[in-house]
Amino acid sequence: MTTRYKLTMAYDGHLFHGFQIQPNERTVQGVIEEALKKMTKGKRVVVHGSGRTDAGVHAKGQVIHFDYPGKKIPAKNMMLALNALMPIDTVFFDSEIVDSNFHVQYSTKGKWYRYIVDQHRFTDPFNRFYTGHYPYPLNIQLMQKAAKDLIGEHDFTSFAASGGQIVDKVRTIYYVNITSDPNNKKIIFDFIGNGFLYNMVRILVGTLLEIGNKKRPVDDIPRVLAAKDRQEVRTTAPASGLYLQHVFYEDVPKKYRLDLKKD
């Protein structure tokens, strides 16, 4: 007899070697499973994540599920028990008991990633693990114009890093927004889609930065998409600026569905 729990969590990815468990490495999955092992007095409970964030990538809305053996624990108590066993760079902030048909990865309707770029001339020692650094001039309007070409369903082969296991590279991007925070000298990129390929968001950011710096034409994205060739875009923004912001398990709100809007 097991009970399936769905929990939402945040973590500082700086000292994690990604989400997925790996031998001799500190991972998010690993620390959660170690905590559950203590709670079950030695039984392994397999933790599933909505996505496998890479080393150094952060999450403000990662979602996990697991099947807990034995006596059912109220959802809130499960969250409190896990938080008592978590390291200081990890926290759970929502918990619920779900049907056994729910799967944290296969039940998703969309994901929201945010990327933060620091534009100070020199690297900020206090932000270096939490932003990308790009001290060169950027034209926000050019990046916003180029981002419109990413909206909709496309084959994103050109924007997928080698090493990914997924053959089908077709994804739909619902929403892209690029904003400036001049007081803190930051540029914020938001991407919402039905799914993202290995390093895809970081490669998209790198490409948009090139456009903003006028190293690449503003109308270059349709050509790059059509090429289906990773060699067309070689820049990948650092992992430090990437955040898994939210995972949607209900339909993505219409305000984020730019793909549905007609000119």
Side-chain angles (χ1 to χ4, degrees):
M1 181 70 181
T2 61
T3 305
R4 182 160 293 188
Y5 290 86
K6 170 193 171 193
L7 292 99
T8 308
M9 67 183 302
Y11 51 83
D12 173 347
H14 168 52
L15 295 178
F16 283 110
H17 201 78
F19 179 87
Q20 188 179 14
I21 201 163
Q22 297 181 51
N24 306 314
E25 298 287 359
R26 184 177 187 259
T27 67
V28 179
Q29 182 185 3
V31 299
I32 301 169
E33 289 192 3
E34 191 60 35
L36 288 167
K37 192 174 181 180
K38 292 176 182 176
M39 291 174 62
T40 58
K41 295 180 171 58
K43 294 181 182 178
R44 188 192 175 194
V45 178
V46 178
V47 169
H48 302 268
S50 69
R52 301 174 178 177
T53 53
D54 288 336
V57 175
H58 315 288
K60 292 190 174 181
Q62 174 70 281
V63 186
I64 67 162
H65 88 250
F66 55 81
D67 294 326
Y68 191 79
K71 184 180 178 182
K72 180 185 287 190
I73 300 172
K76 182 180 179 181
N77 291 358
M78 175 61 76
M79 181 180 72
L80 294 173
L82 280 172
N83 275 338
L85 295 169
M86 284 295 103
I88 199 168
D89 50 2
T90 307
V91 67
F92 291 97
F93 56 87
D94 189 48
S95 175
E96 60 183 299
I97 294 171
V98 292
D99 187 88
S100 61
N101 291 325
F102 172 84
H103 193 285
V104 75
Q105 183 178 358
Y106 305 130
S107 300
T108 61
K109 297 292 185 69
K111 289 183 180 177
W112 176 357
Y113 280 95
R114 173 168 288 177
Y115 195 95
I116 302 175
V117 173
D118 178 16
Q119 279 238 280
H120 284 93
R121 181 180 177 186
F122 301 109
T123 301
D124 182 342
F126 301 106
N127 274 322
R128 71 192 190 280
F129 299 128
Y130 307 104
T131 61
H133 183 233
Y134 196 86
Y136 311 109
L138 286 174
N139 184 312
I140 299 290
Q141 288 71 33
L142 286 179
M143 294 192 292
Q144 290 170 335
K145 183 178 179 181
K148 293 178 181 178
D149 291 325
L150 295 169
I151 302 298
E153 183 181 86
H154 303 286
D155 185 321
F156 284 96
T157 297
S158 294
F159 295 95
S162 59
Q165 304 297 315
I166 298 172
V167 176
D168 182 8
K169 302 292 197 301
V170 175
R171 296 292 183 274
T172 302
I173 291 187
Y174 304 137
Y175 177 89
V176 182
N177 192 40
I178 305 165
T179 54
S180 174
D181 178 2
N183 291 333
N184 295 301
K185 300 202 73 172
K186 288 183 172 62
I187 308 292
I188 301 165
F189 297 78
D190 286 298
F191 300 87
I192 299 175
N194 67 349
F196 294 89
L197 301 165
Y198 183 49
N199 282 359
M200 178 174 157
V201 174
R202 292 164 57 193
I203 297 168
L204 289 172
V205 169
T207 305
L208 289 168
L209 289 173
E210 288 181 345
I211 290 170
N213 190 237
K214 300 182 181 179
K215 291 181 178 178
R216 184 181 290 271
V218 68
D219 59 354
D220 202 35
I221 283 178
R223 182 193 67 80
V224 172
L225 287 167
K228 300 179 186 177
D229 183 359
R230 173 69 177 103
Q231 298 304 310
E232 292 289 338
V233 282
R234 298 190 180 187
T235 304
T236 303
S240 53
L242 184 60
Y243 297 76
L244 174 56
Q245 197 77 6
H246 185 75
V247 182
F248 296 91
Y249 289 97
E250 297 180 352
D251 289 340
V252 175
K254 286 187 177 180
K255 66 180 179 178
Y256 297 130
R257 292 298 304 270
L258 301 182
D259 60 312
L260 300 179
K261 295 181 180 180
K262 306 298 181 183
D263 294 329

